[in-house]
Amino acid sequence: MKLRLLRLACAGTLLALPALAFAQPIDKIVEGAKKEAKVRVGITVRWQEGGKPGAKRMVELFHSRYPFLKVDYERVGGSRERERVLTELAAGQISYDVTVLSETQVPVAAKANVIEKIDWRALGVPPRHVHEDGLGVNYRSQIYGIAYNRKQIPEAAGAQLSWEDCAAPRFRGKVAVDSRPRHLEIFWQPQVWGREKTLAHARRLAANGTRFEQDRTAAMTKLALGEYAMVCGAFFSTYHEQIRSGDKAQLGFRVAEPVPVSLGDVVFVPRGTPHPNAARLWVVWSLSPEGQQVLDEVEGSGSPLFPGTQAAALIKGKKLAWYEPEYRAKADEILKEVLEASGLPIVR
Amino acid sequence: MRARLPSSTALFFLAVVAILIWLIAIPLGEMLLSSFRSGHPVAPGPFSFKNYRVAYGSPLTYRMILNTLVFAAGGTAVTAAIAISFAWLLERTDMPLRNLCWSLLLIPLAMPGLLFSMAYVFLLMPTSGLVNVWLRDLFSSFGVELSEGPINIYSLGGMIFLDGMRGVTTVFLMVAGAFRIMDPALEEASFAAGAKNWATLKRVTLPVLRPALFAALLYEFASSMESFEAPLILGLPGRIYVYSTMIYVSTRDAVPDYGLGAAFAASYFLFSLGLVYLYQRAVVRRAERFATVGGKGYRPRRIELGRWRYAALGVFILYFVFAVALPLGVLVWTSLLPAYEPPSRAALARLNWDNYGLIFSEPALLRSAWNTFIIAFTTATATVMLAFAVSWLVVRARVKGSGALDGLTFASHAVPGVVIALSFIFLYLQPPLRALGLYGTVWLVVLALIAQYVSFASRATHAAVMQIHKELEEAGEAAGASRLRVLWQITFPLIRPAFIAAWIWVAAHAVRAFSVPLMLAGRTSRPLAVMLWHLWDEEQNLPAASALGVLLIAILTVVTFSGRAVVARGLGSP
């Protein structure tokens, strides 16, 4: 009996240890953040969109949870602004306590020694969201699918579309693909289609007169107008935007298997920031169920790993193709191979 | 023969050189340096020729250069035919409504290039383009059934058309001043000898104005070679690739491949230097031959077109429809909808002002507008003054080293805005320039834009200075006036049309510029163009971007019309 009780006590302690370990660092971080009283956040979420709150909602919610912290928010949008942030950090200017880079910018930032290495897993961030070497976390997700025009592809046929249909002769010249086809980068991975099958598919797309579009929204608009029958590798968020502002009846979205899923944008804490604890608190909160719920609400890009998000509902029961970190790190090289196979003029 | 330099001229020359080194040579040098390194500028790799091997070791590069030469030649030919014709018609003939047409020619400057190209896609895309749908309906009424087209904007012809139309205002502004101040005595002599309008134009007017025309076409050809908007928006879907598309696809990683991009840009740089050398040999060294404004007074004479007056006006109206009315109509239509759709009864019911409401509810709008004004005014004024200084040194003073000065000024065309911005970030965030506190202010944006636009402005002022015979300045100096007084009271009034035309061009481009301000402006110093870029590229909100584009066009139209009124009032109406 005594031995049994002892075993139970040990098991309970062991189970409680992670929670205790997690609670301790967070408690310390909260205490540290109280002294700092401020956090400067520069990430990709829009402050407002069409009058509806975006990052504004995130800031309000965060502030309600940590009222001692004043949040100074600024949007850091596309690649040019991220280049500015990276260059500023390398030159010694720390404009934000929490900011964002693309996956492939991270090695450059690491080489320039501008990222604070943090054990995010110990702070409770889901492991799949943690960038290797503790250099940051992926806080948004994207699901890729096939958007189609319901007048040209009836709903019953649309619900059966496969990735191979993107190169089918019956859709010759009527298919658009993003000029950076991320879904093909994901398929390139050995555990999904593999290199040879993906490049063969890219060559078939080229031979089938597929149109490459640089502007995702313009591609979706042209789809709605009937210029295209399908947009392959469409972002779910772009489709969502289009039907929200346009004619819902025109467009359908097929989540074809394997479903490409990527966790993009690496959020990190710059080395030497004056508010390190506040910065950690923001990041941990944004990767919490509450933070992901509000991100899903304002942007539709909540993680599929958190129940209740739109992404979680979309992929339920489906075979997934995750963009694994080791391949995300060489996304540029993979992309160049794919683009070359697709017939784009690429020098490498 | 080169004269000995008075010390004031030497000092002036050194000051101008110092400014150009600061603004242009440093970013250019950094760009060329990075072409020999891999990796990001903040964490560069070792020196090597790898980027050059990759860039120039591929046969694809040469195929793309050939494609680009065809594209640029076609675009420049279209631009030249239209712009030079209009410059002659508006400045030398009695075509009706000249003043209005002159002002209307400035409106395309106000239209952002991406929006212009996108508008034409909605008009002429093969299946659902508005014009194509209308044409198919028309053909159908004659029993001809087409499944798509008949016009396909995703073609080399479509790209040349768009690029050609976009260049008209620039070339017009560069040459209109020259047509205006040309002494009509030569033409009168031609008419007196019995030559008709067309023969006089071909054998007298155009050859005499060769410096202005050459400078304009040279600039336009170089611009077409690096043109990006039409090749991206039309060429990519149409699978027609040129040099700029290839560079974009090859270097546009999440971490841009600056080294490879710089290796490609090096060929633009050499090409630009080659063009400047040609220009120097063919024109600058023989500047006196092209002087058309001398000491004798003259009254400009208008060539009478007779019954062709209204045909000429008709041609202008046709141009205006294609260059302004159609694309602006698409933008206005799009700006009033939640998402673009073709005109229909259902669409009419959805028209609203929400996108304009979104723009006007932006808290930073007023501040952005003020920043835009500061940037445009200061950039235009400083750029044209610097360009005039360079032109005087190159064309008039002909100091030793002026060829290199001219080359450096023109070669700034070859340095992408993003490279200028990056080098400025480094420069102004590190000692000693960090102490100036310019980083994040509008003033740093102004400096970077001056570096970008001095290339164009210098072509315009070169041509203008070349037209003024030096006897006018010599007469002033002989009468005891200082060099500065001569420049201000004799030279400047004569070149004012070209000066103001260049000012308008630079101001309009500074309003539209987003690449440099996006990277250099701080939170409180962002101009409207950055807002437009956010809407277009990052939020992918085409209707809101169209709304802001329409507002910018309206503002710029007022500005350019006002500038034009100043020119007309100062010199008497044409």
Side-chain angles (χ1 to χ4, degrees), chain A residues 58-75:
Chain A
M58 292 178 77
V59 168
E60 282 167 358
L61 209 58
F62 179 79
H63 186 66
S64 71
R65 187 155 291 286
Y66 302 106
F68 50 83
L69 274 179
K70 180 177 177 293
V71 180
D72 186 6
Y73 183 87
E74 187 181 349
R75 183 169 187 251

Side-chain angles (χ1 to χ4, degrees), chain B residues 219-240:
Chain B
Y219 182 86
E220 184 55 29
F221 187 73
S223 296
S224 288
M225 286 289 290
E226 59 167 11
S227 172
F228 181 61
E229 287 146 0
L232 185 71
I233 290 179
L234 305 183
L236 211 57
R239 296 180 163 273
I240 298 157

Side-chain angles (χ1 to χ4, degrees), chain B residues 75-95:
Chain B
T76 304
V78 168
T79 299
I82 299 173
I84 294 170
S85 302
F86 286 161
W88 180 70
L89 284 169
L90 301 190
E91 297 291 353
R92 305 300 297 184
T93 75
D94 63 348
M95 187 184 108

Side-chain angles (χ1 to χ4, degrees), chain A residues 41-222:
Chain A
V41 178
I43 57 173
T44 327
V45 185
R46 296 187 279 276
W47 184 249
Q48 283 195 110
E49 188 204 344
K52 294 177 193 144
K56 188 179 175 195
R57 178 91 183 95
M58 292 178 77
V59 168
E60 282 167 358
L61 209 58
F62 179 79
H63 186 66
S64 71
R65 187 155 291 286
Y66 302 106
F68 50 83
L69 274 179
K70 180 177 177 293
V71 180
D72 186 6
Y73 183 87
E74 187 181 349
R75 183 169 187 251
V76 172
S79 57
R80 281 186 177 83
E81 286 175 297
R82 295 174 193 195
E83 280 296 293
R84 171 179 64 83
V85 166
L86 182 57
T87 309
E88 282 177 351
L89 287 173
Q93 170 141 327
I94 305 171
S95 303
Y96 312 101
D97 303 309
V98 180
T99 189
V100 64
L101 289 176
S102 311
E103 191 75 47
T104 42
Q105 284 176 309
V106 170
V108 177
K111 198 174 170 190
N113 201 24
V114 297
I115 300 183
E116 181 79 33
K117 275 193 186 180
I118 296 168
D119 187 354
W120 294 107
R121 286 187 178 87
L123 295 178
V125 174
R128 201 177 251 288
H129 278 274
V130 177
H131 192 275
E132 57 190 3
D133 302 327
L135 292 174
V137 303
N138 301 106
Y139 81 110
R140 297 157 101 202
S141 72
Q142 192 58 255
I143 307 284
Y144 304 87
I146 304 171
Y148 59 93
N149 182 300
R150 286 194 172 117
K151 282 187 179 171
Q152 298 187 39
I153 302 176
E155 185 60 29
Q160 301 299 317
L161 285 171
S162 69
W163 292 110
E164 284 79 3
D165 286 329
C166 296
R170 69 182 185 280
F171 296 121
R172 184 180 177 76
K174 300 297 282 179
V175 176
V177 168
D178 192 84
S179 62
R180 184 182 176 137
R182 285 175 222 243
H183 67 294
L184 295 183
E185 287 175 36
I186 295 171
F187 288 164
W188 190 99
Q189 299 172 104
Q191 74 276 14
V192 190
W193 277 5
R195 180 178 180 269
E196 292 311 317
K197 184 177 175 182
T198 305
L199 295 184
H201 179 72
R203 283 189 278 272
R204 282 197 299 276
L205 287 174
N208 210 35
T210 301
R211 292 201 191 274
F212 288 90
E213 289 279 354
Q214 185 259 350
D215 184 330
R216 290 192 297 276
T217 302
M220 204 61 76
T221 303
K222 292 178 195 177

Side-chain angles (χ1 to χ4, degrees), chain A residues 46 48-51 72-81 83-84 86-88 90-93 96 102-106 108-109 111-112 174 178-180 205-207 209-218 221-222 225-228 238 241-242 245-247 332 335-336 339 342-348, chain B residues 40 42-45 54-55 58 60-61 64 118 121-122 125-129 152 154 232-233 236-239 241 245-246 248-258 260 264 338-342 358 418 422 425-426 429-430 434 439 514-515 518-521 523 526 533-534 536-542:
Chain A
R46 296 187 279 276
Q48 283 195 110
E49 188 204 344
D72 186 6
Y73 183 87
E74 187 181 349
R75 183 169 187 251
V76 172
S79 57
R80 281 186 177 83
E81 286 175 297
E83 280 296 293
R84 171 179 64 83
L86 182 57
T87 309
E88 282 177 351
Q93 170 141 327
Y96 312 101
S102 311
E103 191 75 47
T104 42
Q105 284 176 309
V106 170
V108 177
K111 198 174 170 190
K174 300 297 282 179
D178 192 84
S179 62
R180 184 182 176 137
L205 287 174
T210 301
R211 292 201 191 274
F212 288 90
E213 289 279 354
Q214 185 259 350
D215 184 330
R216 290 192 297 276
T217 302
T221 303
K222 292 178 195 177
L225 292 172
E227 192 69 20
Y228 303 128
T238 311
E241 290 281 340
Q242 184 73 21
S245 52
D247 187 353
D332 293 337
L335 174 66
K336 281 190 169 124
L339 290 180
S342 306
L344 265 71
I346 192 152
V347 164
R348 63 190 187 99
Chain B
H40 195 280
V42 309
V54 169
S58 167
L60 183 65
T61 299
M64 291 301 111
M118 207 62 233
V121 166
F122 288 141
M125 52 188 171
T127 306
S128 51
N152 181 8
Y154 297 134
L232 185 71
I233 290 179
L236 211 57
R239 296 180 163 273
Y241 308 120
T245 337
M246 184 193 72
Y248 172 75
V249 174
S250 302
T251 64
R252 185 211 49 170
D253 300 330
V255 178
D257 194 336
Y258 291 103
L260 184 60
F264 281 124
Y340 174 81
E341 55 183 301
L358 176 72
V418 96
L422 277 182
I425 291 175
F426 268 122
L429 277 182
Q430 313 239 0
R434 190 182 184 126
Y439 186 75
F514 63 85
S515 191
L518 196 59
M519 296 187 74
L520 290 181
R523 208 187 301 197
R526 283 183 192 141
W533 175 253
H534 273 296
W536 165 271
D537 188 76
E538 288 164 21
E539 299 188 19
Q540 308 256 301
N541 188 342
L542 179 59

Side-chain angles (χ1 to χ4, degrees), chain B residues 1-5 285 288 395-400 470:
Chain B
M1 189 179 85
R2 297 191 196 281
R4 283 192 62 181
L5 291 178
R285 288 182 195 178
E288 286 82 18
V395 176
R396 188 68 79 234
R398 305 257 207 107
V399 298
K400 196 171 180 180
K470 63 182 180 184

Side-chain angles (χ1 to χ4, degrees), chain B residues 112-136:
Chain B
L114 287 172
L115 292 181
F116 179 79
S117 300
M118 207 62 233
Y120 259 98
V121 166
F122 288 141
L123 287 168
L124 289 172
M125 52 188 171
T127 306
S128 51
L130 291 175
V131 172
N132 277 323
V133 169
W134 180 77
L135 283 173
R136 285 201 300 274

